[in-house]
Amino acid sequence: MLSIKNLNVGIAEKQILKDFNLEIKRGEVHAIMGPNGTGKSTLASTLAGKEDYEVLSGEVIFNGKNLLEMSADERAREGVFLAFQYPVEIPGVSTTNFMKAAVNAKRKHHGLEPMDAKDFLKLMKEKLALVEMNKEFTSRSINEGFSGGEKKRNEIFQMAMLEPTLCLLDETDSGLDIDALRIVANGVNQLKSKERSFLVITHYQRLLNYIVPDFVHVMYGGRIVKSGGKELALKLEEQGYDWIKEEVGELAN
Amino acid sequence: MSFTENIEKQFAEVSNSNVVDLRRSAFTAFEKLGIPTSRHEEWKYTNIKTKLNEDISLAPADSQVNAAVKNYIASLPPYAFRIIFLNGVFHPELSIVPDINGLTICSLKDAFTSHSTLVETYFGKLVNYNEEHFAALNTAFVNDGAFIHVQKNVVVKEPIYIQYFFTASDVNAFTQTRNLVIVEESASIELAEDFRNASNIMVQYNHVSEMYIGKNANLDVVKLQLELNNAIGIHTLESQVERDGKFSAATITFASPNTGTGKPLIRNNVTARLVGQNAHADLNGLYFGKENAHIDNHILVDHVAPNCTSNQLYKGVLNGESVGVFNGKIFVKSDAQKTNAFQSSKALLLSNDASINSKPQLEIFADDVKCSHGATVGQLDENALFYLRARGITKFEAVQILTYAFAHEVIDHVHSKPIRQFLCDKLKDELKVNF
């Protein structure tokens, strides 16, 4: 479903991703861990189509299509979803109206009529329940005055509404207390399916206790330097990243 | 015939009609002032002199209802109270004048005779025709307009639309219209001043409103300048608010010219004078400029009495090569202690060729006051745009949605629910936002 080959990406003349490779199959959950500044968020932003990031070379094939040729909005309509590390506050646009525009943009892309108002409300109600949010959230301006936990729940709510096939979770656990973390993870787990893949970017193993990955990758210096199962995350939690850095150093020498 | 000869000849025809002495003083003042050039400080960014036709014709050019007017009237809610003028002439057969105890609404022309005492007390007293070029011209040549008098304690719940349509084909016509609104103690009313160009020419008009808000009275005015297409329009609104009175004015301008027919220009002068304690004024505005439109808002809040509050919120969205001008003045006189005055001007430039000249001007002569102002000019937030696009919304639609959100704040401040709803729909329509 997602195949990243020799991807090189820079921002403001600085190269961040270096010959990055990753294969994700339908229904798999991959976790990417790694110290600060190794390019984890750059990877997520590049896949979502943020224009500040410049793809220098490499290819990304998503469901048989060249992802890098698509605009950010086209990628989303094709089924890519980025849960933001820092969700944006947008005063004056309610979450309901936002989701109406987004759901209908996707439907139009797939040749469907706009959803009728009744069905839309029903869908919202159902998806709100996934993240234990009440209806009032959706009539408020997008993320305006939301707590950190509310913002992240809103991301997962939007993910549920748009039913993507590839979910990118960019440090969704950052700034969450344990209750919010549980709610967010529960929401994600209910969205797991054979058709849907996840790429979970995180600093801490904590989130992976709730969202159990099939594969764990460690990023360092703009590429994946180690891959393993969920036990790799536990080792990183116990021992930190120094041993990784040493291994990489030895390889480099 | 020179400009002066032309004006003098025309003045001779109206000078003995009514309010004779005032007309003469105003005309003398206008002869001294003339039409301002861009050398005049208040007209620095708005070169009106080169825009107005030389051979202006100030007499009203009445004509019959056309299809555009008919269609518009048919689209109004059937219950809406409306006072309709065509080319500055009152048309009672098109109007629906409310029959409410304690509320007088008639044409100003009628009021000159039927309500002469009120006219003598209030007419021409708020405008400064010795300094204001267009107020002087209007006072000298005024033909008609709306006269509204709300008696003490009378609360009018339905908004009243005062509508000026332009249907004439005379390109030299420079229509002078005038409203006089008197809201007495503890009375309340909501008005819309609606200007529409239903002709296919560049219309020219000069409108003046004087509005008195008595003790504890309330007046909400929405100035609608939405369907002007091509127009040179000058608006002057002078208001005076007494103790515990509340005045709010929202000026909504959508200037989108028909291509290739000259540059539209809208100038709004809005003044609120707070002369009694605890008076409050909200002066808000929203303007959309497209192509080569020019929109100028000059606002003045004059804090004369202590303990008064005022807010100014102006937002502009400029596209194409359009030009915006914002000049917001706050005067706090020496007696006006404990004044609380706030001003905010925000402009969104959606094209490289659009521009805004923004100037806040605070003159404070009292020492115990709270005044603040802020002005921003910018583009849409890139992060917000990306956030919307990351959910599948096209770039075009994301721009429209964020512009809607930016503009909507001003409409939120409109008190009258039916007018607010109308504006909300209008904004969605304008921005093709369908939620």
Side-chain angles (χ1 to χ4, degrees), chain B residues 197-305:
Chain B
N197 182 0
S199 77
N200 48 19
I201 60 161
M202 175 76 91
V203 300
Q204 307 176 112
Y205 66 89
N206 173 26
H207 177 77
V208 173
S209 287
E210 287 176 291
M211 301 188 170
Y212 293 86
I213 298 92
K215 282 180 192 160
N216 194 38
N218 180 63
L219 172 60
D220 289 324
V221 183
V222 182
K223 291 173 75 72
L224 302 172
Q225 304 162 352
L226 306 175
E227 311 282 347
L228 285 165
N229 302 320
N230 290 318
I232 308 284
I234 298 153
H235 292 253
T236 303
L237 193 170
E238 295 278 345
S239 68
Q240 177 176 290
V241 194
E242 289 182 31
R243 187 177 181 138
D244 300 319
K246 284 189 176 65
F247 175 62
S248 88
T251 304
I252 319 289
T253 312
F254 287 7
S256 40
N258 300 334
T259 318
T261 41
K263 295 182 178 183
L265 183 156
I266 305 296
R267 163 71 172 242
N268 284 296
N269 299 313
V270 179
T271 300
R273 243 172 265 288
L274 305 172
V275 298
Q277 290 210 40
N278 296 315
H280 178 77
D282 276 316
L283 304 184
N284 300 327
L286 172 64
Y287 53 96
F288 273 70
K290 284 188 185 166
E291 298 185 31
N292 54 13
H294 183 107
I295 306 164
D296 179 343
N297 283 294
H298 268 63
I299 301 104
L300 165 61
V301 179
D302 190 6
H303 282 265
V304 180

Side-chain angles (χ1 to χ4, degrees), chain A residues 49-51 71-73 76-77 81-82 84 88 90-91 93 97-98 101-102 105 143 155 158, chain B residues 381-384 386-395 397 401-402 404-406 408 434-435:
Chain A
K50 191 156 192 188
E51 283 156 6
S71 65
D73 42 291
R77 294 192 296 274
F81 184 95
L82 170 65
F84 282 57
V88 183
I90 306 181
V93 184
N97 285 338
F98 174 37
N143 294 324
E155 293 296 288
Q158 292 171 31
Chain B
D381 177 5
E382 285 295 330
N383 288 326
F386 179 65
Y387 193 67
L388 297 186
R389 293 182 68 195
R391 300 301 177 248
I393 297 167
T394 61
K395 187 174 182 183
E397 203 186 339
I401 289 174
L402 292 179
Y404 172 83
F406 172 81
H408 194 266
N434 41 15
F435 45 65

Side-chain angles (χ1 to χ4, degrees), chain B residues 314-325:
Chain B
Y314 269 74
K315 285 191 161 187
V317 179
L318 298 168
N319 243 310
E321 298 162 25
S322 62
V323 177
V325 180

Side-chain angles (χ1 to χ4, degrees), chain A residues 102-126:
Chain A
V103 166
N104 286 331
K106 185 171 179 185
R107 289 176 66 89
K108 192 180 171 192
H109 184 72
H110 294 286
L112 298 168
E113 290 292 307
M115 193 176 263
D116 87 64
K118 215 175 133 190
D119 289 344
F120 180 77
L121 288 176
K122 207 178 134 200
L123 182 72
M124 282 225 304
K125 202 177 158 190
E126 184 190 317

Side-chain angles (χ1 to χ4, degrees), chain A residues 128-156:
Chain A
L128 281 168
L130 281 183
V131 283
E132 302 175 30
M133 275 163 78
N134 60 36
K135 231 178 88 193
E136 278 90 71
F137 270 107
T138 56
S139 56
R140 285 163 64 185
S141 290
I142 305 167
N143 294 324
E144 195 183 31
F146 282 26
S147 70
E150 287 168 343
K151 282 180 183 170
K152 296 297 173 78
R153 278 151 74 183
N154 195 4
E155 293 296 288
I156 305 306

Side-chain angles (χ1 to χ4, degrees), chain A:
Chain A
M1 98 120 46
L2 183 74
S3 164
I4 305 173
K5 282 189 185 142
N6 297 321
L7 186 64
N8 286 285
V9 174
I11 185 167
E13 316 241 326
K14 191 179 175 224
Q15 189 172 348
I16 310 283
L17 295 188
K18 292 167 188 166
D19 286 329
F20 185 93
N21 290 286
L22 181 66
E23 290 281 334
I24 298 180
K25 295 200 173 65
R26 213 166 283 278
E28 290 178 350
V29 177
H30 290 242
I32 291 199
M33 301 181 72
N36 273 330
T38 53
K40 302 192 298 294
S41 285
T42 296
L43 175 66
S45 295
T46 304
L47 293 177
K50 191 156 192 188
E51 283 156 6
D52 307 349
Y53 294 90
E54 195 191 348
V55 176
L56 305 166
S57 65
E59 67 165 29
V60 181
I61 305 297
F62 172 62
N63 286 336
K65 292 178 185 167
N66 183 346
L67 192 74
L68 298 177
E69 277 182 356
M70 298 179 204
S71 65
D73 42 291
E74 207 179 340
R75 295 178 198 199
R77 294 192 296 274
E78 283 284 327
V80 176
F81 184 95
L82 170 65
F84 282 57
Q85 181 178 5
Y86 304 108
V88 183
E89 296 192 11
I90 306 181
V93 184
S94 71
T95 300
T96 303
N97 285 338
F98 174 37
M99 280 297 103
K100 214 177 273 177
V103 166
N104 286 331
K106 185 171 179 185
R107 289 176 66 89
K108 192 180 171 192
H109 184 72
H110 294 286
L112 298 168
E113 290 292 307
M115 193 176 263
D116 87 64
K118 215 175 133 190
D119 289 344
F120 180 77
L121 288 176
K122 207 178 134 200
L123 182 72
M124 282 225 304
K125 202 177 158 190
E126 184 190 317
K127 305 300 185 188
L128 281 168
L130 281 183
V131 283
E132 302 175 30
M133 275 163 78
N134 60 36
K135 231 178 88 193
E136 278 90 71
F137 270 107
T138 56
S139 56
R140 285 163 64 185
S141 290
I142 305 167
N143 294 324
E144 195 183 31
F146 282 26
S147 70
E150 287 168 343
K151 282 180 183 170
K152 296 297 173 78
R153 278 151 74 183
N154 195 4
E155 293 296 288
I156 305 306
F157 162 68
Q158 292 171 31
M159 189 167 98
M161 288 294 289
L162 295 170
E163 302 181 331
T165 48
L166 175 65
C167 304
L168 310 167
L169 274 61
D170 189 5
E171 306 214 9
T172 296
D173 52 336
S174 68
L176 293 190
D177 61 36
I178 196 75
D179 290 329
L181 184 72
R182 182 187 51 79
I183 293 169
V184 163
N186 264 341
V188 171
N189 285 333
Q190 290 180 71
L191 292 171
K192 276 191 190 168
S193 83
K194 279 182 198 156
E195 299 304 313
R196 189 169 290 140
S197 312
F198 289 82
L199 181 62
V200 182
I201 291 170
T202 181
H203 262 304
Y204 304 105
Q205 188 270 339
R206 188 175 73 151
L207 178 69
L208 305 179
N209 286 336
Y210 295 91
I211 305 171
V212 182
D214 300 308
F215 302 94
V216 174
H217 310 281
V218 182
M219 253 184 104
Y220 186 69
R223 60 168 72 92
I224 289 172
V225 293
K226 198 162 190 71
S227 297
K230 61 184 175 189
E231 68 287 344
L232 177 58
L234 286 167
K235 186 172 178 190
L236 289 168
E237 182 76 4
E238 281 167 21
Q239 304 181 11
Y241 289 107
D242 285 350
W243 65 278
I244 296 274
K245 291 177 191 171
E246 275 165 33
E247 271 190 30
V248 174
E250 279 164 27
L251 283 174
N253 295 332

